[in-house]
Amino acid sequence: MKDLKHVWFIALKDLKIFTRDRASVFFFVVFPFLFIILFNFLLSGVGSEDERLEMHVLTREPAGGLSYQIIGTIETRDESQLGPGQPKIVWDRDYDAARQAVDDGDLAGFLAFPVDFTAALTSGKPTELEIFADAANVNVRAALNGLAGAISSQIGADRIIINASIALLVESGALAPDTESVNRAVQQMMTDIITAGASGAPETYITFRTEKVGDVEAVNPANFVIPGYLVMFVFFAAAVGSESIVRERKNNTLERLLATSVSRESILGGIFTGSIIKGLAQIIIFWGVGILAYNVDLGLSPSAVIILSFLMVIMSAAFSVMLATIARTQRAAASLAVITSLTLAPLGGCWWPSFLYPDWLQNIAKVTPHAWATTGFNKLMLFGADFSAAVPEMLALIVFTIIFGGIAIWRFRTSAT
Amino acid sequence: MVEEFVVVSDLQKSFNEHKAVDGVSFSVHKGEIFGLLGPNGAGKTTTIRMLSTVLVADGGEITIGGHSMQRESAAIRSIIGVCPQELALYDDLSALDNMVFFGRMAGMTGLEAKEQAMANLKLMGLVDRAKGKVAKFSGGMKRRINLAIALMGNPQLVFLDEPTVGIDPQSRNHIYENILGLQKKGMTILYTTHYMEEADRLCNRVAIMDGGKIIAMDTPHQLKSQIGPPEKVTLEEVFLRLTGRSLRD
């Protein structure tokens, strides 16, 4: 019990020293987020979902025309309901304003129904859809052409059916053969067909789906960037903390503690606990900001992400104490901390995904705890894996902790001599 | 009847081939200020480190307050205080925080530690700097804090390893007065120093070490009388007569 109190007091003392050092707080907490903001921004276009295409449609017909029903059917009312790759259809009301917007470069283009659209359709006369587009914007122009073609084909097909139906109705005497009656019947049928499409009836019996090949689609770059930098900075901060352990040894404060009732194990435990608490504070801030500010998705098993983060913290603390037992001077400890952290982080996939590496490099990376940690996070947060899939990575981090901790316990000394 | 609080018998310690302490034997009476003098590398600090439980002796016996070092080192730790030669302080903490921390490590409650820390700071004339960061203190102030920490937990025996090195006469004099005050309260003090005048003024008895051995041990008065009239001879002359005038590393 007394030993546990000593462990706690030493950990609290370390935290007190840490929190009073503004540079350390900046380095532990703020600095990593500067990296995250920067790289999240840089990677936001890499592997992310294509930008949604926006198509503007309008009609020059008087109210009540068939074009109103067609646009009303295809207009996007709730963007969140659109699937990947589906364009957003926007209904513009003012033809002149739309033209001006295209001229001004504010709008890429639009498709307009003509003034006589309904009259032409019902009377069987040809009509023309107008596409007004910025010549430089090939994508939108092509998309509007495609939309116009689809409307034209659909109406053409519907018209054939309607013509046949009208002929049957006239032949059977159910419909008067005069032009006015036929036109009214045609418009009614057209309206029924369009309204049926709008009310949810299947527009076609053939549907299609799109499968992508190539790079994995990263829905949110923060799902990769934040875990990567979490691994890097939790390890880096702990490793740099080894310098303060060496300083204590040099300052003889550790030896002074030994001359009180404190055991060597309590001193070691206190240093280790202090390092763990600092690491836990880091991961709480990382995930808190990640979820709240970057909409990070912890995947199917948030508990696995938390456990993996915790194991990363413990492993880093063990590495920190081990490093302090190896380094003879503060400068050596600081140098080793920087060198190991900046070597292991990119090798371990903290800066970019390690699954993009060639096989031989992926195999080498397995000697780093970073690679196991980032692989675990990638599995859980990018590939939708469940808890069990991350167990090998968790076990690997435990093995690293045992190795680093074992060396730390073996070599730990309180005296500079 | 004099009570022997510290008994050291045939103490040995080597680092690689070098014998730092070679068969040292002495005893310290309860309530006494005992000086351990010697040139650099004489083995004073190594002896104190063994007596304060941080270094394990290669041979010999140590008994402090009736407790054997070999069997009851934990009991010894609970009755000693150490003021090391180097400033063993947390520069980034305040004076009060340093003292409360070491007090709690010595087994005091938070309240006890705070009360005693304030009392010790008052003793050292540093109450108004209690919340000041140690890093900003002068060398003399740090020395006084170093000593004040050694007194946390009310130890029965205090090891003072050159507590006045590198400080101004005012701070040194303040420390002398405090040490004499502690003795009046019944504390036993084992003191090492390079300043012979300091040892002459403070110590009831001194042992002069050289080459890891004790080469003389008595009261300053008796040691001085060995080479002349005590009122005309200084302890430094005795020291130089015994240890020679050659330079030491």
Side-chain angles (χ1 to χ4, degrees), chain B residues 124-141:
Chain B
M124 298 294 159
L126 289 168
V127 170
D128 56 332
R129 301 300 296 272
K131 293 191 175 170
K133 210 173 176 183
V134 169
K136 293 180 178 170
F137 283 13
S138 68
M141 290 162 74

Side-chain angles (χ1 to χ4, degrees), chain B residues 17 64 67 87 103 116 122 127 155 160 163 166-167 195-196 213 224 230:
Chain B
E17 299 299 307
I64 295 175
H67 303 289
L87 294 167
Q116 198 184 21
K122 192 176 177 186
V127 170
L160 304 180
I167 58 174
Y195 303 120
M196 296 302 126
K213 294 174 189 289
K224 286 189 280 186

Side-chain angles (χ1 to χ4, degrees), chain B residues 30-194:
Chain B
K30 189 167 176 60
E32 180 181 39
I33 300 179
F34 185 87
L36 208 51
L37 314 180
N40 288 337
K44 305 183 298 292
T45 298
T46 304
T47 301
I48 283 201
R49 288 179 72 202
M50 286 190 281
L51 293 176
S52 59
T53 77
V54 298
L55 199 62
V56 179
D58 295 340
E61 292 281 333
I62 298 170
T63 306
I64 295 175
H67 303 289
S68 163
M69 180 68 77
Q70 283 178 318
R71 294 183 298 278
E72 301 164 280
S73 60
I76 289 175
R77 284 193 192 109
S78 69
I79 59 169
I80 64 170
V82 181
C83 175
Q85 188 177 332
E86 290 84 12
L87 294 167
L89 306 169
Y90 294 104
D91 278 354
D92 297 320
L93 294 181
S94 69
L96 183 64
D97 283 342
N98 264 282
M99 296 178 70
V100 168
F101 171 68
F102 281 105
R104 300 219 68 181
M105 300 314 271
M108 304 174 86
T109 65
L111 189 63
E112 287 170 349
K114 196 166 182 180
E115 282 176 357
Q116 198 184 21
M118 290 308 291
N120 288 356
L121 284 167
K122 192 176 177 186
L123 192 69
M124 298 294 159
L126 289 168
V127 170
D128 56 332
R129 301 300 296 272
K131 293 191 175 170
K133 210 173 176 183
V134 169
K136 293 180 178 170
F137 283 13
S138 68
M141 290 162 74
K142 285 183 181 177
R143 281 278 160 204
R144 281 184 272 159
I145 295 293
N146 206 32
L147 173 59
I149 288 171
L151 304 179
M152 293 300 293
N154 297 315
Q156 296 176 45
L157 167 68
V158 181
F159 297 99
L160 304 180
D161 192 1
E162 302 192 25
T164 59
V165 166
I167 58 174
D168 59 67
Q170 284 80 6
S171 287
R172 186 181 301 159
N173 196 56
H174 197 273
I175 288 176
Y176 292 163
E177 286 170 6
N178 282 321
I179 291 168
L180 291 170
L182 295 171
Q183 185 190 27
K184 278 184 189 160
K185 289 179 187 168
M187 202 173 274
T188 306
I189 296 164
L190 206 158
Y191 196 94
T192 78
T193 182
H194 278 118

